[in-house]
Amino acid sequence: MTVQQQTGPQPRFDLKASAWSRRKKRIKHDLLQIAIIVAMVGILIAFALAVRNGLARHGISFSFDYLWQAAGFDISEGKTFSWSGSLPNLTDFTAADSNAQALITGLFNTIKVAVLGIIFSTILGVMLGVGRLSTNWLVRQISFGVIEFVRNTPLLIQLVFWYFAVVLQFPPLAAAAKLYGGFIISQQGTYLPWPVLAEGATIPSAVAASVGIALVFTALFVSAKLRILALVAAFAALALAIGLGFPFVLDYPVANRFRASGGIAISPEMAALLLAIVVNSASYIAEIVRGAIEAVNRGQWEAAAALGLNRRDTLSDIILPQVFRVVLPSLGNQYINLSKNTALGIAIGFPELFNIYGTIANQTGRTLEGIVIVMVAYLLLSWIISAVVNFANSRLAMGTSR
């Protein structure tokens, strides 16, 4: 029995019609996106006009002119920009500076705490997350207790605890504890050694030393082959800096009965806020890391053991590199939450952005304008953190696909 073949004309696939169909779908999709954006912008403009008209009916103007008025108050710590000629300089804030410079000082303090908090909370969170899976019973139970206690108590209460029960209980400066390396801890603040330019330092030696130090830190985040090249280049740059006369020296703090000088100072308010958000964020990062480690195929642990690797080497060389590729988006969300939590510094008087806004609003009555500036500042800060995390995530994804 044979099957007869069809002898009629066969339908042909029209490439031009298919391309036009795809183009029409893409145009419709783009037009829909543009329409949504235009509608959102229109809603925001209508809302802004309604608010402005409502304020005008009550005789209240909406203006940012107050930003250029003298602040008339001092800020205990932080830097701001001042212009001498055409170039901005980073200087201490004074009462004669403008309200805009005061907000810059608050933003400077917010960014300072956020950056330090991200670094230290990541380190502590990874340690706690690994500790939750430790084979040592005591380490495992301590890590579990810390994580559960911190995650189940409000951050504001933790901040008050760190400030009143810990930081303010440090000894006064006259009897401050001086730790190894020149660290001084007291009620008036914590003082640390800090690198400064040595007398007679030259620009070539400073550049060589800076490049060498930057390459050392870069080596921590690159592949093994590039790490070797980075370390060799760092060694060469540092050797050149030493040959030219190393430009940096450590400035150690010196305390007397009433004050300390030298080094770098951390105020009690900043220390308490940093401790609170680091420990709080680290507890959430620990659970993210723990979940990712447990999600790794058990066969990789067994394969590493068969190769003779101990648990520490398996974690550092095999497990954790895979974990960071998985948890980086979740860590980005936690970093954004950490940066926003710095606003709780107002509870203990730390001069961060929200606290400075409150002071300016009380003096000028410009509450709405100030809150708009604060919201935009936090939004931009969150976008920057998100962009950095997405860039790092894309780089890791590219490294995995090779």
Side-chain angles (χ1 to χ4, degrees):
M1 183 175 180
T2 61
V3 179
Q4 295 182 354
Q5 296 181 352
Q6 296 181 355
T7 58
Q10 300 293 326
R12 294 186 302 172
F13 184 73
D14 194 340
L15 294 178
K16 291 184 177 179
S18 176
W20 172 244
S21 177
R22 291 195 302 269
R23 191 177 298 113
K24 286 196 300 183
K25 290 182 180 179
R26 185 168 62 250
I27 291 173
K28 289 181 180 179
H29 179 269
D30 294 341
L31 289 176
L32 179 61
Q33 299 297 319
I34 293 172
I36 293 174
I37 293 173
V38 170
M40 293 291 294
V41 172
I43 292 172
L44 290 175
I45 292 174
F47 177 75
L49 290 175
V51 171
R52 184 173 183 177
N53 294 334
L55 293 174
R57 284 195 298 270
H58 292 83
I60 303 174
S61 62
F62 186 86
S63 172
F64 293 98
D65 293 340
Y66 76 99
L67 292 175
W68 318 119
Q69 300 173 2
F73 61 88
D74 291 320
I75 299 177
S76 58
E77 60 182 298
K79 299 289 184 179
T80 190
F81 286 112
S82 62
W83 282 262
S84 58
S86 59
L87 297 177
N89 297 319
L90 199 62
T91 59
D92 294 327
F93 180 83
T94 64
D97 291 329
S98 65
N99 289 319
Q101 290 173 290
L103 290 173
I104 292 174
T105 303
L107 182 60
F108 176 85
N109 289 332
T110 295
I111 294 174
K112 177 173 61 176
V113 174
V115 171
L116 293 175
I118 288 172
I119 295 172
F120 292 128
S121 64
T122 302
I123 297 172
L124 181 59
V126 172
M127 293 174 61
L128 288 173
V130 173
R132 283 278 281 112
L133 302 174
S134 174
T135 55
N136 186 300
W137 181 88
L138 182 60
V139 173
R140 188 169 63 251
Q141 296 305 316
I142 290 175
S143 300
F144 173 77
V146 170
I147 292 171
E148 291 301 311
F149 178 80
V150 172
R151 290 173 68 231
N152 290 287
T153 53
L155 176 57
L156 182 58
I157 295 177
Q158 296 174 29
L159 175 60
V160 172
F161 166 79
W162 283 111
Y163 185 59
F164 290 101
V166 177
V167 175
L168 292 186
Q169 301 305 315
F170 290 156
L173 192 57
K178 186 172 183 179
L179 305 179
Y180 178 76
F183 293 80
I184 300 176
I185 299 177
S186 69
Q187 293 177 354
Q188 286 75 20
T190 302
Y191 303 88
L192 314 173
W194 190 252
V196 295
L197 282 175
E199 294 184 5
T202 61
I203 294 179
S205 64
V207 171
S210 301
V211 170
I213 295 171
L215 287 173
V216 170
F217 283 102
T218 303
L220 301 175
F221 305 99
V222 296
S223 61
K225 294 181 180 179
L226 293 177
R227 185 179 301 123
I228 295 175
L229 293 176
L231 290 176
V232 170
F235 177 79
L238 291 175
L240 176 62
I242 294 173
L244 296 174
F246 199 74
F248 299 112
V249 295
L250 281 178
D251 183 21
Y252 290 93
V254 178
N256 55 33
R257 186 173 180 180
F258 300 104
R259 61 186 301 272
S261 60
I264 184 172
I266 300 175
S267 68
E269 292 76 21
M270 177 179 171
L273 179 60
L274 191 59
L275 284 170
I277 65 173
V278 163
V279 175
N280 183 269
S281 298
S283 64
Y284 291 95
I285 292 174
E287 286 298 280
I288 294 172
V289 172
R290 179 192 62 81
I293 291 176
E294 290 186 331
V296 175
N297 193 328
R298 187 66 187 174
Q300 299 199 32
W301 291 90
E302 297 171 353
L307 292 174
L309 295 177
N310 56 32
R311 186 177 179 85
R312 184 184 63 183
D313 293 337
T314 303
L315 269 172
S316 61
D317 298 338
I318 298 176
I319 304 301
L320 287 181
Q322 300 179 69
V323 164
F324 281 113
R325 294 190 182 101
V326 176
V327 304
L328 199 54
S330 299
L331 291 182
N333 293 332
Q334 193 57 46
Y335 295 156
I336 292 173
N337 289 333
L338 184 151
S339 65
K340 292 184 291 187
N341 286 336
T342 57
L344 290 176
I346 191 175
I348 58 174
F350 179 69
E352 43 74 40
L353 179 60
F354 188 61
N355 193 358
I356 300 300
Y357 147 75
T359 304
I360 295 175
N362 289 334
Q363 290 191 351
T364 63
R366 299 292 182 177
T367 305
L368 183 59
E369 295 91 330
I371 200 64
V372 169
I373 293 174
V374 172
M375 291 174 66
V376 170
Y378 278 110
L379 179 63
L380 292 176
L381 182 59
S382 299
W383 279 352
I384 292 172
I385 294 173
S386 179
V388 172
V389 171
N390 289 335
F391 174 76
N393 192 35
S394 63
R395 295 293 296 177
L396 288 175
M398 290 174 57
T400 306
S401 60
R402 289 175 182 174

